[in-house]
Structures are given as C-alpha cells and as structure tokens.
Amino acid sequence: QVQLVESGGGLVQAGGSLRLSCAASGIILRSNPLAWYRQAPDKTRELIAAISPGAGDSTRYADSVKGRFTISRDNVKNTMYLQMNSLKPEDTAVYYCNKDHKYGIYSWGQGTQVTVSS
C-alpha cells in the first residue's frame, strides 16, 4: 500500500523559506512521476511542481511558483522535497505530495499547512 507523508510546513513571514518533505512507503519514488500540490482555502487543489522519474529529473512548475520553488528527490532516502523561497502570503495553503496527475493519483495524505504572514 502506498503511503505518502508530508511534513515541514509552518508559519513563516513573507520573504522567508521553508523546505517540505514527502516520505514514501510502498513506492520507489525515483521510478514514478511525482508532484507537489497545494490547496488554498476555498480554492481547488492545484499542481505546482512536478519531477520526472529516473535520472533525468526533468521538472516543471506552475507560473505562480516558478523561480521561487524547487522540487527535488533523494533516491537513497526515498524522499521528495519542495524548497520554497521568497514566500508570499498567497502561498498560504495545505501542501500535498502525490503522483503527477497525468499518470494517475494515489490516496491523498494529510498534507502540511504552510502559512505565510505579511
């Protein structure tokens, strides 16, 4: 059974940084197309960053986070990360990791709350 557990969220001032982690069990992350999503209050969940499987590590980002967020993967730890810099109040949301939705979706985890104060 696939289990994805997000962590690393918190309260940060605008301009600050956070690094989110996604620990996986039941799945080998390097073999799967993965993504980070977020859902702000009263908004639909959106994909914000994705990474391809294998050694190529092709990535893509939503325009809203491009240049500020970086998705990466540690194949030894079987963990995925989202480095978030220059955070803005509009980045406030619950953040989730999952498969890139173009290739299907696993059950959603609890997510991790990120709150950016102005």
Side-chain angles (χ1 to χ4, degrees), residues 14 20 28 31 33 39 46 50 56 64 67 82 96 116:
L20 306 184
I28 299 174
S31 300
Q39 186 168 17
E46 61 171 338
S64 58
L82 185 68
Y96 303 87
V116 184

Side-chain angles (χ1 to χ4, degrees), residues 11-92:
L11 174 63
V12 64
Q13 288 188 328
S17 298
L18 284 172
R19 188 177 79 156
L20 306 184
S21 298
C22 173
S25 59
I27 177 179
I28 299 174
L29 292 187
R30 70 174 183 271
S31 300
N32 286 274
L34 304 167
W36 283 97
Y37 301 78
R38 69 184 181 188
Q39 186 168 17
D42 299 323
K43 292 191 176 180
T44 58
R45 192 172 293 166
E46 61 171 338
L47 187 152
I48 56 171
I51 185 167
S52 64
D57 281 358
S58 173
T59 59
R60 72 181 195 275
Y61 298 91
D63 288 343
S64 58
V65 305
K66 197 173 296 182
R68 299 187 298 122
F69 291 10
T70 303
I71 187 172
S72 63
R73 184 180 59 225
D74 185 323
N75 294 333
V76 174
K77 296 182 178 180
N78 205 36
T79 300
M80 182 172 68
Y81 302 99
L82 185 68
Q83 178 66 43
M84 306 188 296
N85 298 328
S86 303
L87 283 161
K88 304 175 182 180
E90 51 263 44
D91 294 319
T92 295

Side-chain angles (χ1 to χ4, degrees), residues 3-8 20-25 36 79-80 95 97 109-112:
Q3 187 174 21
L4 301 167
V5 180
E6 304 91 348
S7 63
L20 306 184
S21 298
C22 173
S25 59
W36 283 97
T79 300
M80 182 172 68
Y95 285 70
C97 59
Q110 295 295 312
T112 186

